[in-house]
Amino acid sequence: MDRIVFDVLSRWLHVFFAIVLLGGGIFIRFVLQPAASELPEDQHAALHSRVMARWKRLVMITIGLLLLSGFYNYIVVMIPKHKGDGLYHGLMGGKMILAFVVFFLVSALTGKSAGLQKIRDNSRLWTTVTVVLGTIIVLIAGFLKIRG
């Protein structure tokens, strides 16, 4: 396969899975959580269990594919294009750090670790934080893409 085709496919996959992760977080925080909070506790718990089981699988696949495509895009495609560009690499590094924080938070929110139960107990706050950080990542990525 021609490298340009692989580079474009990798970029498309990266953007698609970023949309899945951020869009899912927005849906959960601003649609599902408020609607589910109106349910009786037993129905709320049942819905939460079913949704999180499905969402967790998608989150783990999405994180894996974002890591693979992101590192490929950065190491193979972008480093050669931005050699010596400190602003680009600094912003990209900040974007990566924020992405790892998002990955941690969505993993904690969908996981079952007893040590991270406090995050799940305050899921509205941490889902909001995840959405805000995801939005900042998209803003940085958009700036880097336009800046060239």
Side-chain angles (χ1 to χ4, degrees), residues 8-122:
V8 169
L9 287 174
S10 177
R11 174 106 175 119
W12 285 347
L13 284 173
H14 192 76
V15 170
F16 174 78
F17 285 107
I19 290 168
V20 169
L21 198 59
L22 181 56
I26 290 168
F27 173 78
I28 287 170
R29 176 57 189 93
F30 297 106
V31 177
L32 186 60
Q33 286 177 338
S37 70
E38 298 172 5
L39 294 173
E41 186 55 39
D42 61 327
Q43 291 177 8
H44 184 170
L47 176 64
H48 181 268
S49 177
R50 287 194 298 270
V51 168
M52 283 301 116
R54 289 178 175 268
W55 180 234
K56 180 180 183 171
R57 282 187 289 241
L58 189 56
V59 162
M60 294 305 133
I61 291 167
T62 298
I63 288 172
L65 291 172
L66 281 169
L67 286 169
L68 287 172
S69 61
F71 280 122
Y72 175 83
N73 292 337
Y74 183 61
I75 293 167
V76 175
V77 179
M78 300 316 275
I79 286 178
K81 286 184 180 180
H82 295 280
K83 188 172 186 162
D85 185 348
L87 178 61
Y88 179 89
H89 294 294
L91 288 171
M92 182 60 76
K95 181 181 159 229
M96 287 179 187
I97 291 167
L98 292 176
F100 286 123
V101 172
V102 168
F103 296 163
F104 168 77
L105 288 173
V106 295
S107 297
L109 286 163
T110 60
K112 295 181 180 179
S113 169
L116 299 174
Q117 185 60 45
K118 288 183 180 183
I119 291 174
R120 287 186 296 282
D121 289 343
N122 202 354

